[in-house]
Amino acid sequence: MALPSSDLGDGTYRNPVLDADWSDPDLLCVGDDFYLTASSFGRVPGLPLLHSRDLVNWTLVGHALQRLEPVREFSRPRHDCGVWAPSLRHHDDRFWIFWGDPDHGVFQVNAPQIRGPWTRPHLVKEGKGLIDACPLWDEGTGEAYLVHAWAGSRSGVKNRLTGHRMRPDGTGVLDEGEVIIDGDLIPGWFTLEGPKAYRHDGWFWIFAPAGGVETGWQGAFRSRGFFGPYEERVVLEQGETGVNGPHQGGWVRTAAGEDWFAHFQHRGPYGRVVHLQPMRWDGPDGWPVLGDEGAPVAVHRKPDLPRQPRSAPATDDDFPGGRFGRQWQWTANRQDGWATQHSSDGLRLTCVRTAHADDLRRLPHVLTQRLPGIAATAEVELRLDSEEPGARAGFAVLGDAFSWIGLQRRPDGSVLLVHRFAESAATGAPASSSGRWGRERDAAVSREAPEGRARLWIETGAGARCRFSYDVGGGRVSSGRVFAATPWRWVGALLGLFALAPAGAGHAGAASFTKFRITATP
């Protein structure tokens, strides 16, 4: 770990507790352990699994989804598709994760332990536009329910929540479903989504955000019956704070009886960072009170739980034996041969042949991790082992626009240090319309890398403004202008490593990456 924990070391913590793109978080308490998952969209492996003992110090312990399905459809990057807003539950001695894929329907996976083995994805309800699914098992009656939201882009329906009776084994729904909360009937509410269902104090509760990711608020709904009618309250909103759009997350109760709520804040190129809010149930008429009387807290005392070592999800990697850490994800379903295990340290990526060598956004074999939400410096050592003319490898900031710095083999056999970028899509063009993305261009004058090696740096500052530099033997040199990282529509910008070669026949060699580090800027 090179990035700091949000634990201030004096019994308090600072928000966000996860300062990177852990989008749409949901969390769970089982015994003395807390677990959290988040949206992973089109990256693989998906459904990250984080663990904590105090809700502040988190580590990444695995993923619940090894391949996206349908497998062939996710053999290419679909950056804003795939896994949307999962719900994490524990029922019948198993862990369950439900999510909505806006193009295919509601899926679930389950496992006896948080580290698996997890089942393959099971399609619970097929359909377009079904998102943000959450199950509810009523332990008192034995009934099971499912609630989900709608993506207007796929279905033409939005701002409403649909409920179903569900088979107790979670394999399917038992009815056609009905609208249980219609946001169009609530004055001032729009983009109602992200429901999380609970039972508490004799009520059915649905925590659901509205108002959009940048400016929204957190709502709570309650009813004596799952299918309504529901009454609503706004329980968390920005107020006078600087935390825009504080909403969409989950409630958890500790073994000591404290209540807490985790949610995201949309931060543009950094994605959706995770905040932790104190919560209590002593509001008027038994409604929950979140944060500081409904406004987000910046610094607060930690939960009343045993003290834990300070920690944050890993970023650094020495790639022992050619293996990469859990923090890395491919931009599509993995194929054999992209990375090679071996006896020493270092990541060996095959120079995969592609017809899209000039556009990283279209490549499935880019190995990525989240862009830190704080000012930081990321660095890696690179050696280009391929003799194939046009083969290249590098270190990128990847989003709707991208920039990378790395090495490229020339036809005469020499190796150049190159720095290139591509702008975002043309105004009005969707990010998924790859044919309309900006073309890759040189960001700086190329120079020779005599030994086919380079040390590469990307420094991120305020507003995710990135500065690139390199060392090919004569000391560190700054390269190109400042590059402003951009997100996809729903996904924050990513750091990525890649190796590729132009289309053709035969093996094109490989590139090796060593000593990957991310260090917070003082």
Side-chain angles (χ1 to χ4, degrees):
M1 184 193 77
L3 296 180
S5 164
S6 65
D7 188 337
L8 297 179
D10 60 359
T12 66
Y13 70 91
R14 175 183 290 115
N15 274 316
V17 292
L18 289 168
D19 201 355
D21 190 19
W22 303 96
S23 178
D24 312 317
D26 193 26
L27 73 171
L28 179 70
C29 179
V30 179
D32 296 328
D33 298 289
F34 299 92
Y35 303 104
L36 182 147
T37 192
S39 295
S40 49
F41 297 98
R43 302 193 302 279
V44 178
L47 290 173
L49 302 167
L50 288 84
H51 172 257
S52 177
R53 285 287 182 92
D54 64 1
L55 292 169
V56 172
N57 295 285
W58 292 91
T59 56
L60 179 63
V61 297
H63 291 83
L65 187 62
Q66 296 307 308
R67 292 195 306 177
L68 285 160
E69 297 192 8
V71 172
R72 178 171 294 182
E73 190 158 331
F74 287 97
S75 64
R76 59 184 176 84
R78 303 186 69 221
H79 298 285
D80 291 310
C81 302
V83 177
W84 284 23
S87 294
L88 176 62
R89 295 292 181 265
H90 191 257
H91 167 73
D92 196 24
D93 294 325
R94 297 186 71 83
F95 290 89
W96 303 76
I97 303 178
F98 282 65
W99 73 94
D101 179 318
D103 298 303
H104 300 100
V106 173
F107 289 88
Q108 60 96 340
V109 292
N110 60 87
Q113 304 291 335
I114 196 69
R115 290 173 174 82
W118 289 85
T119 62
R120 282 186 58 182
H122 175 82
L123 185 60
V124 178
K125 180 187 176 184
E126 186 176 7
K128 287 277 190 180
L130 311 182
I131 60 171
D132 306 356
C134 182
L136 174 64
W137 286 274
D138 189 334
E139 304 295 347
T141 66
E143 296 284 332
Y145 304 95
L146 179 74
V147 60
H148 67 78
W150 293 87
S153 60
R154 308 317 202 268
S155 63
V157 176
K158 61 181 298 186
N159 203 32
R160 65 189 63 172
L161 306 180
T162 293
H164 291 269
R165 285 186 170 82
M166 184 178 71
R167 293 174 186 157
D169 63 3
T171 57
V173 294
L174 296 173
D175 55 33
E176 294 299 315
E178 61 182 88
V179 175
I180 58 175
I181 302 173
D182 188 341
D184 289 343
L185 301 180
I186 308 173
W189 285 58
F190 60 95
T191 317
L192 176 64
E193 57 187 357
K196 297 292 183 285
Y198 308 96
R199 287 284 272 150
H200 174 69
D201 196 26
W203 296 88
F204 286 88
W205 292 87
I206 294 178
F207 282 51
V213 296
E214 296 185 10
T215 58
W217 58 89
Q218 181 65 40
F221 300 81
R222 73 178 183 184
S223 173
R224 290 299 185 183
F226 177 77
F227 291 96
Y230 283 86
E231 51 184 322
E232 82 282 343
R233 296 278 177 89
V234 174
V235 293
L236 185 70
E237 55 188 335
Q238 180 172 353
E240 300 299 318
T241 75
V243 181
N244 64 294
H247 70 282
Q248 188 154 332
W251 160 48
V252 69
R253 172 166 288 177
T254 72
E258 287 187 341
D259 297 297
W260 296 84
F261 185 81
H263 65 90
F264 76 68
Q265 174 198 11
H266 178 76
R267 291 189 58 213
Y270 299 112
R272 302 173 186 179
V273 303
V274 178
H275 291 238
L276 181 68
Q277 302 297 336
M279 175 176 161
R280 63 184 196 271
W281 286 95
D282 61 358
D285 303 320
W287 287 84
V289 178
L290 275 62
D292 181 8
E293 303 303 322
V297 300
V299 176
H300 196 270
R301 70 161 182 85
K302 291 176 58 181
D304 184 15
L305 293 164
R307 186 171 183 174
Q308 301 296 319
R310 299 174 74 184
S311 64
T315 57
D316 296 356
D317 207 339
D318 286 320
F319 309 109
R323 295 178 294 274
F324 48 85
R326 298 185 181 100
Q327 65 268 34
W328 297 97
Q329 296 170 292
W330 300 102
T331 46
N333 279 333
R334 178 178 182 173
Q335 296 180 24
D336 292 339
W338 287 353
T340 305
Q341 294 187 15
H342 50 87
S343 59
S344 58
D345 289 352
L347 175 68
R348 189 171 298 164
L349 293 183
T350 299
C351 291
V352 178
R353 292 191 180 275
T354 176
H356 306 300
D358 61 348
D359 196 339
L360 300 183
R361 295 163 295 200
R362 302 177 70 177
L363 301 183
H365 55 277
V366 181
L367 193 62
T368 67
Q369 65 167 281
R370 293 161 180 83
L371 186 73
I374 61 172
T377 299
E379 55 182 308
V380 70
E381 293 182 3
L382 167 63
R383 185 182 74 237
L384 182 61
D385 299 320
S386 173
E387 300 296 328
E388 181 75 13
R392 66 196 71 169
F395 187 20
V397 177
L398 179 63
D400 185 45
F402 70 84
S403 185
W404 67 274
I405 191 167
L407 300 174
Q408 180 169 333
R409 181 75 63 179
R410 289 199 297 187
D412 64 6
S414 62
V415 177
L416 290 181
L417 185 289
V418 297
H419 181 188
R420 297 196 173 110
F421 77 100
E423 296 176 346
S424 298
T427 302
S432 60
S433 300
S434 55
R436 299 175 66 182
W437 271 323
R439 297 178 57 188
E440 183 179 276
R441 293 184 287 170
D442 288 328
V445 176
S446 302
R447 62 169 296 177
E448 191 165 346
E451 299 181 1
R453 296 172 179 266
R455 186 75 183 166
L456 309 171
W457 289 268
I458 299 176
E459 298 174 80
T460 64
R465 293 169 61 83
C466 302
R467 298 180 183 273
F468 292 74
S469 56
Y470 64 89
D471 183 358
V472 291
R476 186 170 173 178
V477 179
S478 179
S479 180
R481 300 178 180 177
V482 171
F483 172 77
T486 62
W488 308 97
R489 188 175 184 186
W490 309 125
V491 182
L494 302 164
L495 296 174
L497 306 176
F498 70 92
L500 59 86
H507 183 63
S512 297
F513 297 85
T514 54
K515 299 179 182 176
F516 184 90
R517 300 287 185 270
I518 299 181
T519 307
T521 300

